[in-house]
Amino acid sequence: MTPIPNLNIVPFVSVDNMMKLILKIGIEKFLTDLAAYVEDDFLRWESFDKTARVAAHSIDGVIELMPASDHSLYAFKYVNGHPKNTREGRQTVTAFGLLADVSNGYPTLLSEMTILTALRTAATSAVAAKYLAPKNAHTMAIIGNGAQSEFQAMAFKAMLGIKNLRLYDVDPAATKKCTANLKKFGFDITPCGSVEEAMHGVQIVTTATADKQCATILSDNLVGAGLHINAIGGDCPGKTELHRDILLRSDIFVEYPPQTRIEGEIQQLPEDHPVQELWQVIAGQAQGRKSAGQITLFDSVGFAIEDFSALRYVRDQVRQTPFFEELDMLADPDDPRDLFGMILRAA
Amino acid sequence: MTPIPNLNIVPFVSVDNMMKLILKIGIEKFLTDLAAYVEDDFLRWESFDKTARVAAHSIDGVIELMPASDHSLYAFKYVNGHPKNTREGRQTVTAFGLLADVSNGYPTLLSEMTILTALRTAATSAVAAKYLAPKNAHTMAIIGNGAQSEFQAMAFKAMLGIKNLRLYDVDPAATKKCTANLKKFGFDITPCGSVEEAMHGVQIVTTATADKQCATILSDNLVGAGLHINAIGGDCPGKTELHRDILLRSDIFVEYPPQTRIEGEIQQLPEDHPVQELWQVIAGQAQGRKSAGQITLFDSVGFAIEDFSALRYVRDQVRQTPFFEELDMLADPDDPRDLFGMILRAA
């Protein structure tokens, strides 16, 4: 038996260390590199164990566990969604995640994922847009300027070169915050007074609102030929952002159909409405954008494999840095059968 | 909005702190108090959201997530089971768990659960035996003297006054370890050379072996009238310990039938074989032991509500101690919509 040192230890990336890691790498490089990990894992989509998330619903929100495994690594994310939280100074969504070794079940990384989820959502949106947005797109509308908006802007700039942003939020303070946060990154930003105004002359629209009802953020008449719609906010049962007529005119791309049919915009459509799985486009098994006039829709709800990719990326990056703590999380008696003796000896 | 201090912090109980907490409280008191929490939660069984565990199986083992919620608190446990691990100096089973507030989804406790699972398993066994074992039981056989054995002995001593133990393991070194660990707790211990010898004159038998195959640890001829069988080791598909004929002669008590039918001893029986849910016995809705000659079997596989109880107990106890660390696990920007700005300001 070869002794393995520190079997009890699990590396932990705190919120503070995650921010330090992001700043060290640089936000745009972090997003681009993370997107490469997401694309890598989408390429080998069929080798993953996939399950729809395990959700515990309550009156105020939902708590979910999202596991995924590629038979070598196992990951899961804990994530909540409680829209009323912001009224109490809390985040609507908080998350943390874990990576483990499938061969022995030992956790190998614990990480905050509130920030990391925002990054992986934006990176995945940009990966989808790479295959679906019209060529030479230069201007994006962002409807909903909350916590996710800047991450989307940065990912689309880093990966698609989108520099012109048209921002709208029902709360002008949100647009102001988003504009201020992005100002030093070289965008040309136009704050807008309405959705109509924001949609003027854009090739891409990102909808990222936070209401927990079926809402019509985007009405049918605002969606012209050739648009790519990156729909982020419709991500749970009863929460949608797009008018149904838009869906009927679009070619719809999704992450994992069994989950998106329940949580995405397509919950408004019959269960057999045709959709295209994004991984097949990335793998070259299906076509992305086919024509300049086509309306493409990425109906994003967020899938466990993206969290798997994100944790894998952080594990690979954080190793070479001091940005993690060592958690004494796993009992490691000298003789594995002597757990009780270990307690006695601790006295 | 009332500012809530330290929204980013989740208390964490490490392995070291768990051992300190147990030693401070005392192992027997810890087991007895924990059993009261388990009994409390079994009494309100119907108010829980229950799901069979979410398992990711691989060639070498399994990784499971076990969630449970009572609509006020949410708990889940991460646990692996890898029988080959001991050959590499690792634990077969490691675990950690989390408690969260259902109303806002924020985690309120992260804890090691390798040790805690051993304690809650033993406490639950003793709760079952309180209702099922023959009155005035004084002697217990323990077949399988691995990591769980001493915890079982301590729980049965603390709660049922069992002081005479007859120990057997295929590996005499395990029996020796168990005997040595228990010697200072006032037991009368008889190490035995065979299962037959261990079963001599006992009123209770605990089977806690670790093989991952269908084994016959206990054969039919060894089970006499009036015995209570506490079957711990048969706890996953393909892993059983008792001869099928024993099951047919026993009244069988289980935690959560949908899970036990897959994982417990009763996987050997037809799906409609009658079993009694333990919570109904505790709640007075069904009878436990009915006669002196009856054979009772607690077909234990371990259920998420027991982990819920254990985490709840640790949360209540650890508060008044220094035995926890503060983990910076939840992103907490001043403005919940300004996650991106928080990263920028960290620079």
Side-chain angles (χ1 to χ4, degrees):
Chain A
M1 187 193 302
T2 321
I4 311 163
N6 302 328
L7 270 183
N8 62 315
I9 294 299
V10 178
F12 166 61
V13 181
S14 67
V15 174
D16 188 51
N17 276 325
M18 182 62 77
M19 295 194 293
K20 286 178 174 147
L21 183 68
I22 294 165
L23 290 167
K24 179 186 170 270
I25 294 173
I27 298 179
E28 290 186 62
K29 180 167 164 52
F30 192 110
L31 283 161
T32 309
D33 291 353
L34 172 52
Y37 272 65
V38 170
E39 224 171 317
D40 241 34
D41 289 335
F42 273 54
L43 268 175
R44 56 198 187 93
W45 188 265
E46 286 172 300
S47 68
F48 278 88
D49 269 345
K50 292 173 282 288
T51 358
R53 51 186 116 200
V54 184
H57 292 278
S58 62
I59 299 165
D60 294 316
V62 64
I63 295 176
E64 297 171 334
L65 299 174
M66 301 169 69
S69 166
D70 71 353
H71 305 282
S72 162
L73 285 173
Y74 171 94
F76 83 88
K77 179 167 81 170
Y78 170 103
V79 58
N80 76 296
H82 287 73
K84 73 158 183 60
N85 271 7
T86 49
R87 293 202 300 271
E88 300 159 2
R90 288 188 171 86
Q91 291 285 109
T92 300
V93 173
T94 67
F96 71 92
L98 184 102
L99 208 58
D101 186 333
V102 168
S103 73
N104 57 38
Y106 270 46
T108 53
L109 180 75
L110 179 73
S111 177
E112 89 77 36
M113 285 194 79
T114 310
I115 298 171
L116 191 57
T117 296
L119 288 155
R120 73 87 161 124
T121 300
T124 305
S125 283
V127 167
K130 203 172 84 171
Y131 293 91
L132 303 178
K135 297 290 152 225
N136 307 316
H138 50 76
T139 305
M140 174 163 79
I142 304 181
I143 315 297
N145 303 151
Q148 175 62 208
S149 59
E150 298 96 335
F151 296 97
Q152 289 285 337
M154 294 298 286
F156 277 75
K157 171 163 175 281
M159 290 179 57
L160 282 91
I162 303 291
K163 290 194 177 160
N164 304 311
L165 300 177
R166 300 181 67 80
L167 307 182
Y168 173 72
D169 196 291
V170 285
D171 178 2
T175 304
K176 209 171 153 188
K177 171 221 61 159
C178 182
T179 305
N181 279 333
L182 293 177
K183 73 169 175 240
K184 72 167 181 181
F185 294 100
F187 289 98
D188 185 344
I189 298 176
T190 311
C192 300
S194 66
V195 175
E196 288 76 358
E197 190 188 339
M199 292 296 287
H200 187 75
V202 305
Q203 297 84 42
I204 303 172
V205 56
T206 290
T207 56
T209 62
D211 286 307
K212 202 187 173 169
Q213 313 96 25
C214 290
T216 303
I217 306 302
L218 211 54
S219 57
D220 190 34
N221 63 311
L222 293 174
V223 174
L227 191 71
H228 174 60
I229 308 170
N230 175 40
I232 301 301
D235 63 355
C236 66
K239 181 160 176 267
T240 58
E241 294 182 314
L242 306 183
H243 194 284
R244 189 173 178 276
D245 289 347
I246 300 174
L247 307 184
L248 298 175
R249 290 164 58 212
S250 303
D251 287 305
I252 303 172
F253 298 81
V254 304
E255 290 142 312
Y256 183 56
Q259 186 177 304
T260 313
R261 299 250 181 226
I262 296 168
E263 300 175 357
E265 295 299 328
I266 57 170
Q267 64 187 275
Q268 303 179 64
L269 299 181
E271 272 187 35
D272 57 353
H273 188 91
V275 297
Q276 178 60 59
E277 293 185 56
L278 180 61
W279 75 267
Q280 292 183 311
V281 176
I282 294 171
Q285 296 179 17
Q287 216 179 327
R289 172 164 292 268
K290 291 174 191 161
S291 70
Q294 183 189 18
I295 300 169
T296 51
L297 165 60
F298 178 44
D299 186 1
S300 164
V301 297
F303 187 56
I305 291 178
E306 296 149 31
D307 300 312
F308 177 100
S309 312
L311 287 167
R312 199 164 65 78
Y313 174 66
V314 167
R315 179 203 59 180
D316 291 350
Q317 293 305 313
V318 85
R319 277 176 181 158
Q320 311 132 29
T321 75
F323 304 140
F324 62 93
E325 296 159 53
E326 298 195 330
L327 288 196
D328 163 35
M329 199 157 103
L330 307 176
D332 177 36
D334 300 331
D335 170 0
R337 292 179 307 188
D338 198 12
L339 198 58
F340 190 83
M342 184 177 72
I343 302 171
L344 297 185
R345 285 188 296 275
Chain B
M1 187 192 302
T2 322
I4 311 164
N6 301 329
L7 271 182
N8 61 316
I9 294 298
V10 178
F12 166 62
V13 181
S14 67
V15 174
D16 188 52
N17 276 325
M18 182 61 77
M19 295 196 290
K20 286 178 174 148
L21 183 68
I22 294 165
L23 291 167
K24 179 185 170 269
I25 294 173
I27 298 179
E28 290 186 62
K29 181 168 164 49
F30 193 110
L31 284 161
T32 309
D33 291 353
L34 171 52
Y37 272 64
V38 170
E39 220 168 322
D40 241 35
D41 289 335
F42 273 54
L43 268 174
R44 56 197 187 93
W45 188 265
E46 287 172 301
S47 68
F48 278 87
D49 269 346
K50 292 172 283 289
T51 358
R53 52 185 112 200
V54 184
H57 292 278
S58 61
I59 299 165
D60 294 317
V62 63
I63 295 176
E64 297 172 333
L65 300 174
M66 302 169 67
S69 165
D70 71 353
H71 305 282
S72 163
L73 286 172
Y74 171 94
F76 84 88
K77 180 167 80 171
Y78 170 102
V79 59
N80 76 297
H82 287 72
K84 73 156 183 61
N85 272 7
T86 50
R87 293 202 300 271
E88 300 158 4
R90 288 189 171 84
Q91 291 286 107
T92 300
V93 173
T94 66
F96 71 92
L98 183 103
L99 208 57
D101 185 333
V102 168
S103 74
N104 57 39
Y106 270 48
T108 53
L109 180 76
L110 179 72
S111 177
E112 87 80 35
M113 285 194 79
T114 310
I115 298 171
L116 192 57
T117 296
L119 288 155
R120 74 86 161 126
T121 300
T124 305
S125 283
V127 167
K130 204 173 83 171
Y131 294 91
L132 303 178
K135 296 289 154 226
N136 307 315
H138 50 75
T139 305
M140 174 162 81
I142 304 182
I143 314 297
N145 302 151
Q148 175 63 205
S149 58
E150 298 97 334
F151 296 98
Q152 290 284 337
M154 294 298 284
F156 277 75
K157 172 163 175 280
M159 290 178 58
L160 283 90
I162 303 292
K163 289 194 179 159
N164 305 311
L165 300 177
R166 300 180 68 80
L167 306 183
Y168 173 73
D169 196 291
V170 285
D171 179 1
T175 305
K176 209 171 152 189
K177 171 222 61 159
C178 182
T179 305
N181 278 335
L182 293 176
K183 72 169 176 241
K184 71 168 184 182
F185 294 100
F187 289 99
D188 184 345
I189 298 176
T190 310
C192 300
S194 67
V195 174
E196 289 76 357
E197 191 188 340
M199 292 296 287
H200 188 73
V202 305
Q203 297 84 44
I204 303 173
V205 57
T206 290
T207 55
T209 62
D211 286 307
K212 202 187 174 174
Q213 313 96 22
C214 291
T216 303
I217 307 302
L218 211 55
S219 57
D220 191 34
N221 63 312
L222 293 173
V223 174
L227 190 72
H228 174 61
I229 307 169
N230 176 40
I232 301 302
D235 63 355
C236 67
K239 179 158 177 267
T240 59
E241 294 181 314
L242 306 182
H243 194 283
R244 190 172 177 275
D245 289 348
I246 300 174
L247 308 185
L248 298 175
R249 290 163 59 211
S250 305
D251 287 307
I252 302 171
F253 299 81
V254 303
E255 290 143 313
Y256 183 56
Q259 187 176 304
T260 313
R261 299 244 181 232
I262 296 168
E263 301 176 356
E265 296 298 329
I266 58 170
Q267 64 186 275
Q268 304 180 63
L269 299 181
E271 272 188 35
D272 59 351
H273 188 90
V275 296
Q276 178 61 58
E277 293 184 56
L278 180 62
W279 74 268
Q280 292 183 310
V281 176
I282 294 171
Q285 297 179 18
Q287 217 179 324
R289 174 164 289 269
K290 291 173 188 158
S291 70
Q294 184 189 18
I295 299 168
T296 51
L297 164 61
F298 178 44
D299 185 3
S300 165
V301 297
F303 187 56
I305 292 178
E306 295 149 30
D307 301 312
F308 177 99
S309 311
L311 287 166
R312 199 164 64 80
Y313 174 66
V314 167
R315 179 202 59 179
D316 291 351
Q317 293 305 312
V318 85
R319 275 176 185 159
Q320 311 130 32
T321 75
F323 304 140
F324 62 93
E325 296 157 53
E326 298 195 330
L327 288 196
D328 164 34
M329 199 157 104
L330 307 175
D332 179 37
D334 300 331
D335 171 359
R337 292 179 307 190
D338 199 11
L339 199 58
F340 190 83
M342 184 176 73
I343 302 171
L344 296 185
R345 284 187 297 275

